[in-house]
Amino acid sequence: MIQYTLDQIISFSLVADHGSFAKAARASGKDRTTISEHVSNLEIALNTELFVRGGNKLIITKQGEKLLRWARALLRQAQGLQSFADSLSLPEKHHFRIAIDMHLPNDFILDVDVAARELHPFSTLDWIYRSREQAVEELNDKTLDAAIILRNDQSQRVVPPNGLMACYLGEVKGKLYTAIDSPLQDISPINFRDLADSTRYLLQSTFESGISERAAFSGRQVVLNGMDLIVKFVEKDGWAYLPSNSLLDKNPKIKVLEANFLNVHWSMGHVLMSRSDISGEPYQALLESIKDVYKNSFYS
């Protein structure tokens, strides 16, 4: 039998986050007495001291720290359940706005569009380029319905924000490209130092994700907002790391640059972000189509 209430868990988490009953009360809009009673009753129900009280200062106990991890997970689940419950009374959506990363080729977008509309012919999909930060913000604002964003290995956040869900899709393999007559091709396979004096062209989403800072290699980086534009620049000079695809490999003006510091392909990881407040078969079909097409496109 459950010995606690959700209100008690909420108050406990607020006090742990803010360090006092008064601050927790202000954050929640409830009075201090109510917050204090919730925590005291939770301690009685669990027969455990959660905070050491000393004047106006509260210090969470070791047992409290252990409970806090479970409490936060429970509150995330409760928020997700509430979002889903709210969506049950809404009419089924058929028009969706999806943010995509610039590294994804056009063929991938077209294949997802076709697959989703084969399952639900009345679905309409808008495809919009967004950075990772823009996509998450617009998902929270509910102006986007889903987003395929670059994975950030340096991000401290593992669990997505409340109301959002995340699925790791996988990685898109890439290659280094230069003009076919680039001086870099004469010294292929190249090393890190060989790249330092040549201009690197990179996608805006790569730059905004911070990946370019961790793998700069070149003293001069030029940010562009589309793969087609990068290819045009690379045909003239410099180099770029781009997702490998048949169109690039067939371009007679550029060529893959071999590198002795790459034992395997470089790759870009992607995460599918979706909203927990949208229900209905068309939306689920869209998400499953994205997962299936990604797997078939980049892992077949």
Side-chain angles (χ1 to χ4, degrees):
M1 182 177 179
I2 295 177
Q3 302 293 323
Y4 59 84
T5 68
L6 189 59
D7 282 339
Q8 291 171 352
I9 296 296
I10 293 172
S11 294
F12 164 67
S13 297
L14 284 169
V15 173
D17 290 339
H18 294 281
S20 76
F21 293 124
K23 291 180 180 178
R26 286 195 293 271
S28 65
K30 298 178 180 178
D31 60 80
R32 183 187 182 284
T33 302
T34 299
I35 297 293
S36 178
E37 287 178 352
H38 283 166
V39 173
S40 296
N41 289 336
L42 180 61
E43 290 177 318
I44 293 170
L46 300 179
N47 194 28
T48 301
E49 186 180 42
L50 301 175
F51 296 100
V52 176
R53 284 122 169 118
N56 294 325
K57 188 176 181 181
L58 296 176
I59 300 174
I60 192 167
T61 64
K62 289 184 178 180
Q63 295 299 325
E65 289 177 349
K66 293 177 181 178
L67 180 65
L68 184 59
R69 290 194 291 269
W70 285 92
R72 286 172 173 164
L74 175 63
L75 293 177
R76 284 194 295 269
Q77 292 291 329
Q79 181 61 49
L81 175 61
Q82 185 62 55
S83 297
F84 178 75
D86 292 342
S87 72
L88 294 178
S89 61
L90 298 175
E92 196 170 64
K93 282 191 67 167
H94 292 273
H95 189 173
F96 303 104
R97 300 179 79 243
I98 307 106
I100 50 174
D101 170 54
M102 292 178 180
H103 291 85
L104 294 169
N106 292 337
D107 286 347
F108 167 80
I109 300 169
L110 179 61
D111 289 346
V112 173
D113 197 277
V114 170
R117 289 193 293 111
E118 280 182 351
L119 295 172
H120 289 274
F122 295 106
S123 291
T124 302
L125 309 179
D126 298 335
W127 299 94
I128 306 159
Y129 287 117
R130 289 289 187 271
S131 69
R132 184 178 58 241
E133 289 74 17
Q134 288 174 326
V136 173
E137 180 179 349
E138 292 182 32
L139 283 169
N140 280 320
D141 292 341
K142 301 184 179 182
T143 55
L144 278 178
D145 301 305
I148 305 171
I149 60 175
L150 278 178
R151 181 186 65 185
N152 183 4
D153 291 330
Q154 288 191 335
S155 174
Q156 298 301 310
R157 178 180 287 276
V158 177
V159 179
N162 283 339
L164 301 184
M165 298 179 290
C167 172
Y168 177 61
L169 290 173
E171 297 179 345
V172 177
K173 293 180 180 178
K175 299 176 183 176
L176 297 176
Y177 290 91
T178 70
I180 194 167
D181 57 355
S182 168
L184 290 173
Q185 292 289 346
D186 296 333
I187 53 176
S188 181
I190 49 89
N191 59 39
F192 290 115
R193 294 183 180 86
D194 297 325
L195 296 176
D197 296 328
S198 297
T199 301
R200 179 191 180 185
Y201 299 102
L202 67 154
L203 285 169
Q204 182 179 347
S205 60
T206 306
F207 177 79
E208 291 174 342
S209 70
I211 296 174
S212 62
E213 294 300 320
R214 305 199 298 273
F217 301 132
S218 175
R220 182 168 183 261
Q221 296 193 134
V222 175
V223 179
L224 301 169
N225 66 357
M227 279 200 288
D228 291 344
L229 189 57
I230 285 184
V231 170
K232 292 297 182 183
F233 273 80
V234 169
E235 289 175 358
K236 304 294 184 182
D237 72 341
W239 62 277
Y241 162 75
L242 294 171
S244 54
N245 62 64
S246 58
L247 290 178
L248 290 178
D249 293 338
K250 292 177 182 177
N251 186 324
K253 296 182 180 181
I254 63 174
K255 184 178 178 181
V256 173
L257 181 64
E258 300 297 333
N260 62 13
F261 56 85
L262 291 177
N263 188 45
V264 294
H265 289 289
W266 270 349
S267 59
M268 292 288 184
H270 286 105
V271 175
L272 171 62
M273 302 290 293
S274 57
R275 286 168 44 189
S276 59
D277 64 322
I278 303 178
S279 61
E281 289 187 10
Y283 188 59
Q284 294 306 314
L286 167 62
L287 300 181
E288 291 304 317
S289 295
I290 291 173
K291 296 175 188 178
D292 290 343
V293 173
Y294 195 101
K295 185 185 298 183
N296 293 333
S297 298
F298 306 118
Y299 287 86
S300 58

